[in-house]
């Protein structure tokens, strides 16, 4: 239920597409939905959840909360950008020193919840619906 596209300019797209909601895995990507894509190029990765419940790669994940399917995009690398059409649970690897981890967008800050998932230290953020914008994550 997928397609891998390798470009000549150091870009790879992994596309998941199905007319039935399902769980799929390829290499180090997990997806649950009907349409999603992971793009890797140079020093950034884009997780695009076009219609689904969950997408994850390398400890970064988006999970739609509250409804069966939604849309969201996370771009991470040198900087981070995010958009979602409903409330999501954003999970990132916990590489931060002791202290409170916060996600900042505009003038708002969201507190992160540090925990261990599948043996890995991660930080979860419950993020409200938002337009595509830069976000940053760091210690408060």
């Amino acid at each position: 239920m997928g397609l891998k596209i390798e470009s000549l300019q150091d870009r790879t797209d992994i596309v998941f597409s199905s007319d039935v909601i399902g769980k799929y895995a390829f290499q180090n990507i997990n997806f649950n939905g009907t349409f999603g894509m992971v793009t890797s190029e140079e020093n950034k990765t884009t997780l695009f959840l076009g219609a689904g419940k969950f997408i994850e790669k390398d400890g970064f994940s988006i999970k739609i909360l509250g409804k069966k399917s939604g849309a969201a995009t996370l771009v991470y690398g040198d900087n981070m950008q995010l958009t979602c059409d409903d409330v999501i649970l954003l999970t990132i690897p916990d590489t931060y020193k002791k202290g409170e981890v916060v996600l900042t967008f505009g003038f708002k800050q969201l507190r992160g919840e540090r925990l261990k998932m599948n043996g890995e230290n991660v930080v979860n953020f419950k993020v409200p619906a938002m337009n595509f914008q830069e976000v940053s994550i760091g210690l408060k």
Side-chain angles (χ1 to χ4, degrees):
M1 300 308 218
L3 177 67
K4 180 177 182 179
I5 305 163
E6 293 180 336
S7 300
L8 297 175
Q9 274 86 30
D10 192 32
R11 174 182 166 143
T12 302
D13 295 299
I14 308 293
V15 180
F16 296 90
S17 181
S18 175
D19 57 352
V20 179
I21 293 175
K23 293 181 180 180
Y24 307 96
F26 180 73
Q27 294 175 342
N28 56 348
I29 302 167
N30 292 298
F31 171 71
N32 183 352
T34 56
F35 185 75
M37 186 165 74
V38 175
T39 300
S40 301
E41 58 185 325
E42 297 177 16
N43 55 355
K44 72 177 179 179
T45 300
T46 302
L47 300 181
F48 173 70
L49 187 59
K53 188 74 175 168
F54 179 80
I55 192 163
E56 183 264 334
K57 180 181 191 295
D58 297 332
F60 290 84
S61 70
I62 299 168
K63 180 178 182 180
I64 302 296
L65 299 175
K67 56 184 203 177
K68 291 183 181 179
S69 182
T73 303
L74 170 67
V75 180
Y76 61 92
D78 290 343
N79 58 15
M80 191 175 283
Q81 298 166 307
L82 180 66
T83 184
C84 48
D85 69 354
D86 204 349
V87 179
I88 64 166
L89 183 66
L90 173 66
T91 301
I92 63 164
D94 188 351
T95 58
Y96 303 92
K97 296 179 180 178
K98 288 187 178 189
E100 186 178 357
V101 182
V102 295
L103 180 141
T104 304
F105 57 100
F107 295 106
K108 297 180 183 176
Q109 286 191 332
L110 301 175
R111 301 167 106 196
E113 177 188 10
R114 291 179 136 166
L115 53 123
K116 196 173 277 272
M117 286 177 51
N118 302 324
E120 301 293 325
N121 293 325
V122 298
V123 182
N124 282 343
F125 298 93
K126 190 173 180 180
V127 181
M130 67 166 57
N131 293 326
F132 192 71
Q133 61 188 293
E134 289 228 6
V135 298
S136 63
I137 299 175
L139 293 173
K140 186 172 183 178

